[in-house]
């Protein structure tokens, strides 16, 4: 897929106020400081489309970006370790749940996981929640440039071994690096395939 245009559209704290047009959307979510903004900028070839920050938990709204005037990329707040008050955290964790339960335009989510670390309970628990609620998702392993190939393989296997204890199969996954543009074609190609399927089903509207 070639990205011809990518523009910020709107931020919301309420799912009911999200865009109403019936075009496919893809949600990106992960633990705070997983490199979500950098990944979004890499995928869209726009350095400052999503605002990066050294302060984890900065994204606290549902951010919609319109891509190629055909689909939405949705930037959701990170879960865990955000340096915000407990009341603020409860508020935006609530609308994350509402987003996934109510957003009919959602085709699939991408759960971002830092490949450098051993499987983290917070990531495993979130993906378990997604599975239990029937929400389709793929895993995007980020920051692959920080590890050697053998270490990447081992860490992915660690996730497989743990997840297959309760999952029938390992979810679809991608290996990425925002700084090296690793995985860009794979992720965008996957979204392109899903968009083609949606169009064939009459999902895309003029």
């Amino acid at each position: 897929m070639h990205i011809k245009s990518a523009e910020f559209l709107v931020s919301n704290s309420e799912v009911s106020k999200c865009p109403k047009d019936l075009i496919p959307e893809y949600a990106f979510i992960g633990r705070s400081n997983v490199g979500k903004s950098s990944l979004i900028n890499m995928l869209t070839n726009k350095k400052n489309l999503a605002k990066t920050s050294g302060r984890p938990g900065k994204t606290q709204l549902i951010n919609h970006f319109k891509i190629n005037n055909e689909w939405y990329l949705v930037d959701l707040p990170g879960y865990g370790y955000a340096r915000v008050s407990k009341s603020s955290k409860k508020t935006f964790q609530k609308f994350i749940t509402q987003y996934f339960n109510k957003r009919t335009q959602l085709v699939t989510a991408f759960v971002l996981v830092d490949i450098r670390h051993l499987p983290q309970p917070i990531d495993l628990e979130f993906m378990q929640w997604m599975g239990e609620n029937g929400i389709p998702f793929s895993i995007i392993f980020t920051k692959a440039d920080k590890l050697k190939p053998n270490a990447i393989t081992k860490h992915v296997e660690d996730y497989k071994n743990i997840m297959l204890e309760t999952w029938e199969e390992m979810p679809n996954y991608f290996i990425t690096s925002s700084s090296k543009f690793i995985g860009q074609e794979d992720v965008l190609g996957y979204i392109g395939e899903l968009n083609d399927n949606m169009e064939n089903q009459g999902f895309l509207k003029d």
Side-chain angles (χ1 to χ4, degrees):
M1 177 194 295
H2 176 63
I3 301 297
K4 295 171 286 187
S5 64
E7 58 181 353
F8 169 75
L9 188 70
V10 67
S11 292
N12 281 298
S13 61
E14 296 179 31
V15 178
S16 61
K17 294 181 180 178
C18 288
K20 307 297 184 192
D21 38 345
L22 296 177
I23 63 174
E25 64 184 49
Y26 301 86
F28 288 70
I29 189 169
R31 181 166 52 84
S32 299
N33 210 28
V34 75
K36 179 160 50 69
S37 295
S38 296
L39 179 80
I40 291 171
N41 292 337
M42 181 268 281
L43 291 175
T44 58
N45 288 315
K46 294 234 177 186
K47 289 185 178 180
N48 298 305
L49 185 68
K51 305 300 182 184
T52 58
S53 171
R55 178 168 61 87
K58 185 178 181 183
T59 302
Q60 296 178 28
L61 296 168
I62 302 170
N63 298 309
H64 274 75
F65 301 91
K66 203 165 195 178
I67 312 298
N68 289 349
N69 209 35
E70 295 175 345
W71 56 277
Y72 284 122
L73 186 159
V74 184
D75 181 9
L76 294 174
Y79 53 81
Y81 307 118
R83 295 177 183 175
V84 296
S85 67
K86 288 184 178 180
S87 60
S88 295
K89 189 179 295 186
K90 275 187 178 181
T91 297
F92 66 77
Q93 294 295 347
K94 180 180 179 182
F95 70 68
I96 287 173
T97 302
Q98 290 178 338
Y99 172 85
F100 283 120
N101 285 332
K102 296 181 178 180
R103 192 65 177 162
T104 58
Q105 290 93 330
L106 177 69
V107 176
T108 193
F110 293 96
V111 179
L112 278 60
V113 173
D114 191 330
I115 191 68
R116 298 175 299 173
H117 305 307
L118 295 174
Q120 301 293 304
I122 191 167
D123 293 320
L124 294 168
E125 289 168 7
F126 182 76
M127 288 187 282
Q128 186 69 29
W129 180 87
M130 295 282 278
E132 290 173 353
N133 285 271
I135 300 160
F137 72 92
S138 294
I139 301 171
I140 291 184
F141 291 104
T142 64
K143 306 185 182 183
D145 60 293
K146 305 296 184 183
L147 293 179
K148 294 181 178 179
N150 287 344
I152 291 173
T153 300
K154 181 184 182 303
H155 285 201
V156 172
E157 285 299 316
D158 288 340
Y159 266 92
K160 284 183 180 179
N161 291 336
I162 290 179
M163 295 189 76
L164 290 178
E165 292 177 4
T166 53
W167 293 71
E168 291 185 2
E169 59 182 359
M170 176 73 174
N172 186 43
Y173 67 88
F174 301 91
I175 306 296
T176 69
S177 164
S178 298
S179 61
K180 303 293 185 181
F181 283 79
I182 296 170
Q184 182 191 47
E185 290 186 7
D186 293 336
V187 175
L188 291 178
Y190 180 66
I191 291 174
E193 290 176 8
L194 293 176
N195 277 344
D196 288 343
N197 291 337
M198 294 298 104
E199 188 170 17
N200 291 335
Q201 295 172 23
F203 191 101
L204 290 172
K205 307 295 180 182
D206 293 331

